[in-house]
């Protein structure tokens, strides 16, 4: 999957207020700009670059070896937000990639063919290694097979066993640690030209834990009424640093401290989050959302919620790069075990029963009025079994489920009027239920 350093864009409707910016948002923008500056000069400075995916990313390990990460999913979603993905996907389809392939992959391939220009307009360096941390999505394998053909560079794979029963056994943990020791770390050391300093890795993992504490406090602030955050549309901005290149850095710690302080100030003032329709304090519906957002019409999509007074109190997509609110924290005490547990616990690596349990918990903990699924056409990892999940969640929680369909970055699959109609009907259903219960 597929996560996120989106840069906020202007709402398309001229009458709509632009989404406001907090100081933490400016800080995140500066961090991203600095990262892409470093990437653009990496080759001339002799710094090594590894491409890797968001779920199961080993950012602290790369950082401890002074390697810069590139996350192709993030480049794809950025292209979607900047309205470039349609052209990139068309380019990939012209060269034979089927309409059914995950659109992140096709967007990435099209972007590569168009010069591999990143979201800041600077060219991205080719990878010195492809680091495939396999956490549940088969597409990851095929994606890096394609990139290996393009770049003719080595691949290191970390095979993470699927968690069918929601339990990490000692054998699963040992299997991942063994691969880190015998394959992944040696491959990275070869690229970096130096040995891994385990103390430096441990230091970075402790920094990760600090940022994770603050992120969890931000998520849990949504238990308040009004919720001071939108845990989906706003949430994708909050996960940017921790799910990507900055986990295990002082920069990420400072970002999450600042973000948490901003959110706590909104709680104290009784304010809701800033949305495309201004500050959403009068919240009529509290929703839990499963599935990734659409990126090509992101603000339009958000507006369909905020205009109706709907706030998303929790979402699964904002957990794809780490499920910290179930208690996991990175730790420097046993660094490789910590990395193994992180990879094993990724949302994409969980079976359907665990995912249902998690969403049920969100509905109860955040006192949600409904569960809504955005089923994404090209993402099998998320979409398989979603209707079954919805029925089970309705049964267990008693709240109404809603179902809409769109895509990640293919603008052909965002049917604006259709999605808007379905959402309005869904909110009316919540109203009717509320009226029945009050009668
Ligand atoms: S199929 Fe889904 S999880 Fe897999 S790479 Fe595509 S968007 Fe990510």
């Amino acid at each position: 999957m597929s996560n996120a350093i989106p840069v906020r864009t202007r709402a398309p409707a001229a009458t709509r207020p632009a989404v406001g910016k907090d100081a933490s948002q400016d800080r995140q923008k500066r961090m991203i700009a600095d990262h892409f500056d470093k990437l653009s000069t990496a080759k001339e400075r002799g710094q090594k670059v590894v491409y890797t995916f968001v779920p199961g990313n080993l950012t602290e390990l790369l950082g401890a070896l002074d390697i810069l990460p590139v996350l192709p999913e993030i480049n794809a979603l950025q292209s979607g937000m900047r309205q470039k993905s349609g052209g990139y996907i068309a380019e990939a389809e012209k060269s034979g990639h089927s309409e059914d392939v995950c659109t992140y992959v096709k967007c990435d391939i099209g972007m590569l063919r168009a010069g591999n220009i990143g979201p800041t307009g600077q060219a991205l360096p080719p990878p010195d290694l492809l680091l495939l941390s396999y956490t549940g999505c088969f597409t990851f394998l095929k994606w890096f097979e394609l990139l290996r053909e393009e770049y003719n560079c080595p691949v290191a794979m970390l095979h993470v066993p699927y968690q069918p029963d929601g339990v990490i056994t000692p054998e699963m943990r040992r299997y991942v640690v063994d691969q880190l020791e015998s394959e992944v770390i040696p491959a990275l050391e070869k690229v970096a030209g130096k040995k891994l300093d385990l103390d430096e890795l441990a230091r970075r993992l402790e920094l990760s834990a600090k940022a994770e504490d603050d992120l969890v406090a931000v998520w849990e602030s949504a238990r308040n009424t009004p919720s001071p955050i939108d845990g989906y549309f706003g949430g994708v901005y909050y996960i940017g640093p921790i799910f990507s290149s900055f986990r295990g850095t002082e920069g990420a710690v400072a970002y999450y401290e600042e973000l948490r302080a901003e959110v706590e100030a909104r709680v104290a003032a009784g304010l809701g989050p800033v949305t495309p329709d201004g500050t959403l304090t009068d919240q009529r519906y509290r929703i839990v959302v499963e599935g990734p957002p659409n990126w090509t019409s992101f603000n339009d999509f958000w507006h369909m919620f905020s205009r109706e007074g709907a706030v998303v109190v929790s979402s699964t997509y904002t957990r794809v790069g780490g499920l910290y609110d179930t208690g996991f924290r990175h730790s420097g005490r046993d660094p490789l075990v910590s990395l193994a547990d992180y990879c094993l616990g990724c949302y994409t690596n969980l079976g359907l029963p665990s995912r249902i349990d998690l969403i049920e918990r969100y509905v109860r903990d955040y006192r949600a009025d409904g569960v809504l699924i955005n089923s994404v056409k090209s993402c099998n990892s998320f979409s398989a079994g979603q209707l079954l999940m919805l029925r089970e969640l309705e049964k267990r929680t008693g709240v109404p489920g809603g179902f809409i369909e769109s895509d990640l970055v293919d603008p052909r699959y965002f049917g604006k009027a259709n999605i808007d109609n379905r959402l309005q009907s869904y909110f009316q259903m919540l109203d009717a239920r509320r009226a029945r219960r009050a009668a």
Side-chain angles (χ1 to χ4, degrees):
M1 164 73 25
S2 3
N3 249 286
I5 322 183
V7 176
R8 281 184 177 174
T9 52
R10 218 152 36 86
T15 51
R16 203 179 304 155
V19 177
K21 273 192 194 150
D22 292 321
S24 62
Q25 189 69 26
D26 284 332
R27 181 189 290 274
Q28 184 177 156
K29 258 186 118 170
R30 290 195 300 276
M31 290 161 73
I32 294 167
D34 181 54
H35 181 68
F36 281 98
D37 276 349
K38 282 189 190 144
L39 282 171
S40 69
T41 58
K43 292 292 157 189
E44 64 202 56
R45 293 182 296 100
Q47 191 169 15
K48 302 300 178 188
V49 173
V50 161
Y51 285 19
T52 196
F53 293 115
V54 172
N57 73 74
L58 303 171
T59 304
E60 299 90 346
L61 185 53
L62 298 179
L65 285 161
D66 199 25
I67 294 173
L68 287 173
V70 168
L71 297 128
E73 304 130 294
I74 290 175
N75 296 334
L77 77 84
Q78 291 283 9
S79 298
M81 288 190 110
R82 289 178 298 129
Q83 310 305 320
K84 288 181 179 283
S85 54
Y88 292 155
I89 290 167
E91 196 54 45
E93 287 182 357
K94 246 190 272 164
S95 60
H97 295 280
S98 144
E99 219 183 293
D100 292 332
V101 171
C102 165
T103 50
Y104 271 180
V105 180
K106 286 187 290 186
C107 183
D108 188 42
I109 298 290
M111 181 176 126
L112 193 152
R113 300 262 154 80
N116 219 17
I117 306 298
T120 53
Q122 295 150 296
L124 294 171
D128 295 291
L129 177 95
L130 299 167
L131 173 57
L132 173 52
S133 177
Y134 179 79
T135 50
C137 174
F138 186 68
T139 302
F140 288 156
L141 286 172
K142 303 316 264 177
W143 193 341
F144 270 6
E145 276 176 19
L146 292 168
L147 292 195
R148 185 180 55 188
E149 278 171 26
E150 298 281 347
Y151 291 115
N152 194 23
C153 68
V155 181
M157 177 163 166
L158 179 66
H159 178 237
V160 179
Y162 194 58
Q163 256 203 69
D165 308 318
V167 177
I168 298 175
T169 65
E171 292 76 18
M172 289 158 82
R173 186 176 285 126
R174 190 68 244 161
Y175 177 63
V176 177
V177 169
D178 282 350
Q179 291 175 77
L180 286 169
E181 285 173 338
S182 63
E183 289 173 42
V184 174
I185 292 173
L188 290 171
E189 286 176 334
K190 193 170 169 199
V191 165
K194 62 178 179 184
K195 293 300 268 182
L196 173 68
D197 176 348
L198 269 178
D199 291 339
E200 174 59 13
L201 176 60
R203 186 187 76 82
R204 286 174 178 263
L205 291 167
E206 291 299 324
L207 290 176
S208 299
K210 277 191 197 160
E212 288 155 6
D213 280 344
D214 285 333
L215 177 62
V216 170
V218 168
W219 291 149
E220 294 191 342
S221 72
R223 293 174 190 236
N224 288 283
T225 304
S227 169
I229 62 164
D230 185 288
Y232 186 54
F233 298 104
V236 298
Y237 295 98
Y238 303 156
I239 56 178
I242 210 159
F243 280 13
S244 60
S245 315
F246 306 102
R247 210 180 59 222
T249 66
E250 282 83 1
V253 171
Y255 169 80
Y256 285 100
E257 275 174 6
E258 191 166 45
L259 175 66
R260 181 176 179 172
E262 287 165 355
V263 168
E264 286 175 351
R266 285 209 291 278
V267 173
L271 291 174
V274 179
T275 75
D277 293 277
T279 302
L280 184 63
T281 300
D282 182 15
Q283 299 170 357
R284 296 178 62 202
Y285 314 104
R286 296 168 64 87
I287 308 294
V288 170
V289 175
E290 146 79 8
N294 165 273
W295 299 110
T296 49
S297 300
F298 185 82
N299 275 348
D300 277 346
F301 193 26
W302 190 352
H303 171 63
M304 291 175 196
F305 287 71
S306 55
R307 180 196 62 201
E308 304 294 332
V311 67
V312 180
V313 285
S314 191
S315 63
T316 53
Y317 179 73
T318 52
R319 274 59 169 182
V320 289
L323 257 179
Y324 305 111
D325 52 355
T326 54
F328 170 79
R329 293 289 182 281
H330 282 92
S331 161
R333 275 194 302 279
D334 197 341
L336 301 191
V337 167
S338 177
L339 289 174
D341 283 357
Y342 161 70
C343 292
L344 286 157
C346 281
Y347 185 74
T348 47
N349 203 46
L350 303 181
L352 284 190
S354 303
R355 288 168 60 186
I356 293 169
D357 288 348
L358 184 73
I359 299 171
E360 180 187 3
R361 210 196 85 193
Y362 288 156
V363 170
R364 296 192 196 287
D365 288 357
Y366 293 91
R367 292 173 289 104
D369 301 304
V371 183
L372 188 73
I373 290 181
N374 180 32
S375 186
V376 162
K377 178 190 166 292
S378 58
C379 177
N380 291 329
S381 280
F382 255 87
S383 305
Q386 278 179 329
L387 274 174
L388 184 103
M389 288 168 71
L390 195 62
R391 295 294 159 256
E392 182 63 19
L393 284 162
E394 284 179 322
K395 205 161 65 188
R396 288 194 198 176
T397 64
V399 304
F403 196 84
I404 52 174
E405 291 167 282
S406 68
D407 191 62
L408 296 158
V409 289
D410 191 335
R412 294 171 296 185
Y413 296 105
F414 188 81
K416 190 174 167 186
N418 184 28
I419 291 172
D420 203 5
N421 282 342
R422 283 210 197 183
L423 282 174
Q424 286 188 39
S425 306
Y426 180 62
F427 295 135
Q428 281 165 12
M429 183 166 77
L430 297 186
D431 282 339
R433 178 175 184 264
R434 205 172 268 165
R436 273 199 310 276
R437 288 161 74 101

